[in-house]
Amino acid sequence: MAKKPRIYLYDSTLRDGAQTSTVNFSVKDKKEIALMLDKTGIDYIEGGWPGANPTDDEFFANLPKLKKSQFCAFGMTRRINSSAANDEGLNALINSGVKNICIVGKSWDFHLKNALNISDAENIAMITESIAYINKKQREAFFDAEHFFDGYKDNPKFALNCVKKAYEAGARWVILCDTNGGTLPSEIKQIVSQVIKIIPGENIGIHCHNDTGNAVANSLAAIEAGARQIQGTINGLGERCGNADLISLIATLILKMNYDVGIKENELKNLTKLSHFLDETLNKERNKFAPYIGEYAFAHKGGLHVSAINKNPKCYEHIKPEIVGNKRKIMISDQSGRANIISRLKEIGLNLNDQLKATQISDLVNKVKDQEAKGYAYDSADASFEILAKKSLNLIPNFFDLISFKVIDERSLDNKGNIEAMAEAIIKIRIGKKIIMSVAEGNGPVNALDKALRKALSRRYPMLKKIKLTDYKVRILTPSDATEAVTRVQIESCDLENNKWSTIGVSTNIINASYLALYDSITYKLIKHL
Ligand SMILES: [Zn+2]
């Protein structure tokens, strides 16, 4: 079957997604997310709003190099009664250095009368002069027509005129926004069909919010009506109920509708990773029920379902889970766990038949299951998985034994009345026959413990001086087999060669959970030097 036309993907996770309550991206987060989006093959990445806050300024001043995606800077049309060339906001966008600039403007006359108090003519001038200025500076202009669908429903002539003038002024893309998220798919399809009569579909984009749970359906309706760019966010992040979820959209456009989105079918397996990566960055619980990439998207529990699935998975699965990087989960059999573990062992260079016996695999499957029941999650802690696997196969020597540690946490007032918090850790370990004790201070108990442990080890293992902890995340959970809550600590470490690895520790005690994650982090570095 011939591919349908090219649909361009525009990700606004770093801007619209950052407006989600509870979300706060650092510059480092933004860089890492942008690189993941690039790897996935997204066309445009909205990096943020230069000139609006220090994080976005710093981000745009140090943009990571991308292979495929292009950055887009977001902002708004020039201010009322000023000139585009002298507009501080517009110039901040131009000076951000990126080629694509997306500006938002009004297309609902209700806003003109009730919020801005400006004339139709001034609104059109704000749109067209800003777009002309962006073009004059040799940038591509994207126009986000805010509240376009509400505007169209109230006053179609006015709304259509706003987008027509934006297109005529030279906008590469005119994006129709369902800003309040209240429009339904049938309305979107009908309204976009009207816009297509005055602006070519190749220049029309769609931006939907999920306030009726229809953001994905609305975006697809606009595509069916002829729009060619979709804006959305990873995991549907965004204000209120979120934006259209790009993960569902990408998979659906390719697998169900046969559109060309610039991503090959065999690259779709990155989607699950991308979704998990964003959750981990935000320290957010995964949505296990998410379409395509959720843990339960291909989970089968009922006996009847499971026996049918064993005969032919098509009985209860709309696609093969591997296509999107997910996996089948059969709750009453360990088959899926086993296959998963075999494939992860392959990733770390251990092959069945070769070094591994079937019984060893079974032991490891059971071990992983026990650990997961306690609250461990190895999907996001590759290094801890590798250590668990190699330990159970006796492939790791005993680098050191912990004899004991003690952490003292202190909080006091200094003579100026400021609160001072500090911690001290004392640790005793054994390397071979030698017992080593060390003490270190830190700004918190984990920092002190990390310093003391590495101090004790660094004479024998000098390479440990070169690692640093780059991230530390704590989550409280209640695992399925426990009655009391436990703490899961995840640590990200990095060495001088910029290798990164992630480790995990689980315990009812936060310091002990941190120690377990630190232990794995250090052990991982040591096995890489074997
Ligand atoms: Zn939005």
Side-chain angles (χ1 to χ4, degrees), residues 12 15-17 19 46 74 144 146 177-180 207-209 231 233 237-240 242-244:
S12 65
R15 202 269 311 171
D16 247 10
Q19 286 170 12
E46 192 170 77
F74 180 87
D144 260 6
E146 195 186 22
C177 303
D178 187 27
T179 310
N180 291 359
H207 178 114
C208 293
H209 280 261
Q231 300 201 342
T233 58
L237 224 58
E239 252 172 315
R240 306 186 308 276
N243 287 47

Side-chain angles (χ1 to χ4, degrees), residues 327-328 334-352 356-372 378-379 385-386 388-390 392-393:
K327 54 186 188 242
R328 180 171 307 129
D334 73 356
Q335 282 311 309
S336 65
R338 192 182 159 82
N340 180 28
I341 283 181
I342 291 174
S343 80
R344 293 192 67 168
L345 289 172
K346 261 188 205 152
E347 280 170 28
I348 55 173
L350 299 171
N351 286 312
L352 190 62
L356 297 176
K357 290 191 206 83
T359 51
Q360 289 178 310
I361 304 265
S362 304
D363 285 351
L364 187 57
V365 170
N366 291 332
K367 221 168 245 172
V368 169
K369 279 190 172 175
D370 286 351
Q371 291 289 89
E372 287 184 339
Y378 291 103
D379 280 350
F385 175 77
E386 187 169 335
L388 181 78
K390 289 188 170 167
S392 82
L393 300 168

Side-chain angles (χ1 to χ4, degrees), residues 141-292:
F142 293 45
F143 178 64
D144 260 6
E146 195 186 22
H147 297 109
F148 176 77
F149 294 94
D150 293 315
Y152 184 95
K153 285 189 254 178
D154 259 12
N155 184 346
K157 216 175 129 198
F158 174 84
L160 283 175
N161 191 42
C162 293
V163 293
K164 181 169 179 266
K165 290 286 159 48
Y167 175 64
E168 286 170 356
R172 159 69 185 93
W173 288 104
V174 174
I175 298 102
L176 311 176
C177 303
D178 187 27
T179 310
N180 291 359
T183 312
L184 297 177
S186 54
E187 297 173 302
I188 297 264
K189 198 165 181 177
Q190 191 262 327
I191 297 172
V192 175
S193 318
Q194 295 307 309
V195 182
I196 294 278
K197 291 179 183 163
I198 55 166
I199 301 174
E202 293 72 50
N203 300 92
I204 297 177
I206 181 77
H207 178 114
C208 293
H209 280 261
N210 201 30
D211 298 72
T212 66
N214 279 300
V216 166
N218 283 346
S219 307
L220 296 174
I223 294 300
E224 286 185 313
R228 291 292 169 258
Q229 188 205 101
I230 289 195
Q231 300 201 342
T233 58
I234 303 308
N235 297 344
L237 224 58
E239 252 172 315
R240 306 186 308 276
C241 314
N243 287 47
D245 185 352
L246 271 189
I247 301 258
S248 290
L249 280 168
I250 293 170
T252 304
L253 286 166
I254 296 177
L255 298 173
K256 309 284 173 178
M257 298 168 88
N258 201 34
Y259 279 107
D260 173 9
V261 300
I263 296 174
K264 292 193 198 88
E265 196 175 313
N266 65 10
E267 293 168 332
L268 283 177
K269 52 184 182 302
N270 291 329
L271 291 180
T272 301
K273 231 181 196 166
L274 173 65
S275 166
H276 290 177
F277 178 82
L278 186 65
D279 286 333
E280 289 308 322
T281 305
L282 294 169
N283 199 17
K284 202 169 151 269
E285 199 77 53
R286 286 179 195 164
N287 176 6
K288 292 182 173 151
F289 301 95
Y292 293 104

